[in-house]
Each structure stands twice: as C-alpha cells, then as structure tokens.
C-alpha cells in the first residue's frame, strides 16, 4: 500500500490536534478523550483505515509522555490495550461506513466502534489487568481506574463521534 502526501499531511495535522489536546488531559479526560476520538474518526473518513490505525497507536504514546499517567506507569500492559481499543473504534467506523453508505451508516459505524472499543477496554483493562496487576499502594483508586477504562471510554467515544459527525458534514465536501 502506498501512502500519499495527502494521507501523511492529514494524519500529521490530526496528530498535532491530538497532541495539543493532551496538554488538557489533567484538566479533564472529557476534554481530551472526545477530541482524540474525533480525530481518529476523521482520519478514517478522510484518509482511510491505515491512517486511523497509525493515530490509534501513536496517540497513547504521546499522551503518556505528556501526562505521565501513573496507572500506565504502574501497568505498562495497558498501553497496547488502549492502542487496540482505538484501533477497534477506527475499524468499526471504517468498515461499517464502507458497507453502509450515507449518514445512517456513519452513525452506525460510530456507535458500533464506540461500543466495541469500550467493551474491549472494559473487559481487558478494567476487569483483567487492573484487578490483577494494580500495585497495592494504588488499590484505593481501583474503582476510579476501572471506570476510566470502561464507562468513560464509551462516553468520550460517543462525544467524539458527535464532534466528528458535525465536523465531517462540511469537511467531506472539501476533502473527498
């Protein structure tokens, strides 16, 4: 597969938006999360699944370097699970919108991708990794961590989907 200049440029711009938003993560995950999810979705819609997956892999790494998440520092295995969850969102949006055209297909893809991402992260991170690998000094925050990697992921994915949908309406006329 050959990646075009348009794909590289669009992916780079969306990555820059993600990085800037990550500086606000310590303010609220409800600011950063929807922006990153919207960028993942816009990447898929504008330049394809491979570019969305590239962002899915890069954004958790940049987030860790910017915010220094204590939970990821304590349980590094969470990082690839976040990448996989993001990739599931990207694949859900990409595959369903390819199969089901129009706004209905886009909405279905966003909803399905958000749910699959949240379910995957909720099961793997919240129910398996955190209960089994969380260091004893952090156990008091277990419920918060579990909520962050399950319910919060669903909420931020759905909000990001709304943002992406609103932005995609005018963008699709310019980009496609």
């Amino acid at each position: 597969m050959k990646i075009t200049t348009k794909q590289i440029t669009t992916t780079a711009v969306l990555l820059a938006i993600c990085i800037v938003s990550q500086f606000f993560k310590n303010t609220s995950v409800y600011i950063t999360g929807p922006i990153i999810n919207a960028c993942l979705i816009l990447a898929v819609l504008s330049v394809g699944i491979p570019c969305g997956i590239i962002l899915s892999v890069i954004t958790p790494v940049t987030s860790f370097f910017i915010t220094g998440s204590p939970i990821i520092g304590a349980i590094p295995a969470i990082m690839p699970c976040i990448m996989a969850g993001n990739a599931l969102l990207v694949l859900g949006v990409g595959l369903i919108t390819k199969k089901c055209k129009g706004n209905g297909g886009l909405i279905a893809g966003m909803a399905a991708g958000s749910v699959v991402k949240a379910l995957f992260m909720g099961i793997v991170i919240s129910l398996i990794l955190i209960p089994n690998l969380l260091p004893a000094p952090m156990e008091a925050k277990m419920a918060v961590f579990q909520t962050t990697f399950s319910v919060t992921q669903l909420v931020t994915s759905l909000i990001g989907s709304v943002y992406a949908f609103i932005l995609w309406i005018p963008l699709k006329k310019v980009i496609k």
Side-chain angles (χ1 to χ4, degrees), residues 13 43 56 62 98 114 117 140 145 147:
V13 167
S56 296
T62 58
K98 191 176 281 189
S114 295
K117 173 185 178 172
F145 294 143
T147 301

Side-chain angles (χ1 to χ4, degrees), residues 54-167:
I54 289 169
L55 280 182
S56 296
V57 171
I58 294 173
T59 54
V61 175
T62 58
S63 177
F64 179 72
F65 285 127
I66 292 168
T67 63
S69 170
I71 185 71
I72 295 174
I75 309 173
I78 290 175
M79 178 82 69
C81 295
I82 296 170
M83 293 172 181
N86 287 345
L88 288 170
L89 172 63
V90 164
L91 288 169
V93 172
L95 296 175
I96 292 175
T97 56
K98 191 176 281 189
K99 191 155 187 87
C100 306
K101 303 291 182 194
N103 287 342
L106 178 56
I107 292 167
M110 290 176 181
S114 295
V115 169
V116 170
K117 173 185 178 172
L119 280 173
F120 171 79
M121 292 176 74
I123 292 167
V124 176
I125 298 173
S126 295
L127 298 179
I128 298 171
L129 293 179
I130 291 174
N132 291 303
L133 299 175
L134 191 66
M138 298 176 86
E139 284 181 1
K141 292 187 175 185
M142 184 180 304
V144 173
F145 294 143
Q146 288 177 313
T147 301
T148 298
F149 290 106
S150 58
V151 175
T152 302
Q153 293 301 317
L154 178 61
V155 172
T156 59
S157 292
L158 291 172
I159 295 169
S161 294
V162 171
Y163 291 170
F165 185 82
I166 292 167
L167 291 169

